[in-house]
């Protein structure tokens, strides 16, 4: 079947040959075939691997934005089962389970790795269950790791009153990434429904008060503020507080907090 996605890109799938490549048949029953308005939101299967000793075992991952996840076949691709979606795995980075690389271990037929620009996961049971291989969860949303993330950093701010308290800003989901233990563990603070809108700058007014300028790529996301040393953050924006609307086509800039009057701060937009 053909689909008009607006971009001209068709959803991907899996095909099989049993006569040395002379003829091929669709072997993608059960694979997600989402048609989106762009190529980035249309199903595209880049991560694909199989067990060379058992031609019936295959794993494939849909790499589209908003993907439903990872699919496993035990019958050579005649049918597929979704074994990994976002809600089934604890990952610190708020991206979907998008992967571009898959590999089945030659020495262990049940061991599978999947890798993408943001996450690295593994399965020890032939893709039935998955775990994060790049991070360790420490509870309360704190993690050690993120070494495999594709985050692009823009700015780092140290708390002058607390050397263990550090704020990071960057592209995509890097908006107020916080450590309160000198970098041992990290938390994502101001995401919510707008996880991927980035952060520009941050400034401390006192040991417990800090402000962050949010947004990137000409999308303004307001000002983040904490009054309790980073325990909680709120995001302020829009006409009700005298700032441009969140989501406005404007660039977030620098921010400075007064260390004399913690109610006073300046930000560039």
């Amino acid at each position: 079947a053909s689909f008009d996605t607006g971009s001209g890109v068709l959803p991907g799938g899996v095909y099989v040959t049993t006569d040395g490549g002379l003829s091929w048949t669709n072997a993608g029953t059960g694979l997600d075939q989402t048609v989106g308005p762009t190529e980035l939101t249309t199903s595209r299967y880049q991560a694909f691997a199989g067990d060379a000793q058992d031609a019936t075992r295959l794993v494939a991952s849909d790499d589209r934005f908003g993907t439903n996840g990872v699919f496993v076949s035990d019958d050579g691709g005649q049918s597929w089962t979704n074994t990994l979606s976002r809600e089934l795995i604890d990952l610190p980075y708020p991206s979907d389970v998008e992967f571009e690389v898959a590999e089945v271990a030659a020495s262990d037929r049940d061991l599978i790795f999947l890798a993408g620009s943001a996450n690295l996961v593994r399965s020890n049971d032939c893709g039935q269950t998955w775990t994060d291989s790049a991070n360790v969860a420490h509870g309360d949303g704190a993690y050690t790791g993120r070494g495999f993330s594709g985050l692009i950093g823009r700015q780092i701010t140290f708390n002058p009153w607390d050397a263990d308290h550090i704020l990071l800003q960057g592209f995509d989901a890097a908006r107020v990434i916080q450590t309160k233990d000198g970098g041992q563990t990290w938390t994502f603070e101001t995401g919510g429904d707008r996880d991927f809108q980035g952060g520009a700058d941050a400034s401390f007014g006192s040991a417990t008060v800090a402000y962050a300028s949010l947004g990137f790529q000409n999308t303004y996301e307001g000002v983040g503020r904490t009054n309790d040393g980073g325990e909680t953050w709120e995001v302020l924006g829009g006409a009700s507080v005298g700032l441009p609307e969140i989501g406005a086509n404007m660039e977030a800039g620098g921010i400075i907090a007064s260390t004399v009057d913690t109610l006073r701060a300046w930000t560039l937009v």
Side-chain angles (χ1 to χ4, degrees):
S2 62
F3 302 89
D4 181 5
T5 66
S7 64
V9 177
L10 305 181
V14 176
Y15 291 79
V16 62
T17 180
T18 58
D19 57 11
L22 296 177
S23 62
W24 297 79
T25 57
N26 191 325
T29 300
L31 289 177
D32 189 6
Q33 291 284 281
T34 294
V35 179
T38 71
E39 61 180 298
L40 297 180
T41 56
T42 297
S43 291
R44 49 182 186 171
Y45 291 89
Q46 298 188 55
F48 185 53
D51 181 356
Q53 300 180 52
D54 183 351
T56 62
R57 286 184 176 181
L58 301 169
V59 59
S61 175
D62 185 357
D63 186 42
R64 70 176 176 87
F65 290 175
T67 181
N68 286 330
V70 175
F71 299 82
V72 173
S73 174
D74 287 321
D75 55 14
Q78 297 307 306
S79 63
W80 295 83
T81 302
N82 185 348
T83 65
L84 174 57
S85 53
R86 189 61 179 83
E87 64 271 14
L88 295 178
I89 190 167
D90 183 16
L91 297 170
Y93 195 71
S95 69
D96 294 302
V97 282
E98 307 158 4
F99 302 102
E100 293 88 42
V101 178
E103 189 67 36
V104 177
S107 59
D108 182 350
R109 300 167 62 193
D110 290 331
L111 177 60
I112 304 173
F113 285 93
L114 291 169
S117 61
N119 297 299
L120 172 67
V121 300
R122 69 181 288 161
S123 173
N124 292 320
D125 54 13
C126 195
Q128 299 309 301
T129 60
W130 301 86
T131 57
D132 184 356
S133 281
N135 311 280
V136 177
H138 294 274
D140 296 325
Y143 295 85
T144 299
R146 298 309 320 126
F148 202 74
S149 171
L151 290 173
I152 299 174
R154 300 178 68 183
Q155 192 265 359
I156 184 168
T157 303
F158 293 88
N159 186 336
W161 294 270
D162 182 355
D164 288 335
H165 192 186
I166 308 168
L167 306 177
L168 299 179
Q169 313 295 328
F171 288 9
D172 292 329
R175 56 185 272 173
V176 190
I177 299 178
Q178 176 175 253
T179 178
K180 300 186 71 177
D181 54 16
Q184 297 303 307
T185 61
W186 298 86
T187 57
F188 290 78
E189 294 298 334
T190 62
D193 293 334
R194 303 183 68 82
D195 279 318
F196 292 95
Q197 302 306 318
D201 194 15
S203 180
F204 284 94
S206 72
T208 58
V209 175
Y211 297 83
S213 176
L214 307 178
F216 83 117
Q217 291 184 338
N218 294 318
T219 303
Y220 182 69
E221 292 295 323
V223 172
R225 180 182 66 179
T226 180
N227 291 319
D228 55 13
E231 290 299 313
T232 60
W233 289 81
E234 63 177 330
V235 177
L236 306 171
S240 63
V241 297
L243 287 169
E245 295 295 329
I246 289 178
N249 185 21
M250 305 177 75
E251 188 71 27
I255 195 165
I256 298 174
S258 170
T259 59
V260 177
D261 178 4
T262 57
L263 296 178
R264 185 180 296 271
W266 302 261
T267 186
L268 292 174
V269 179

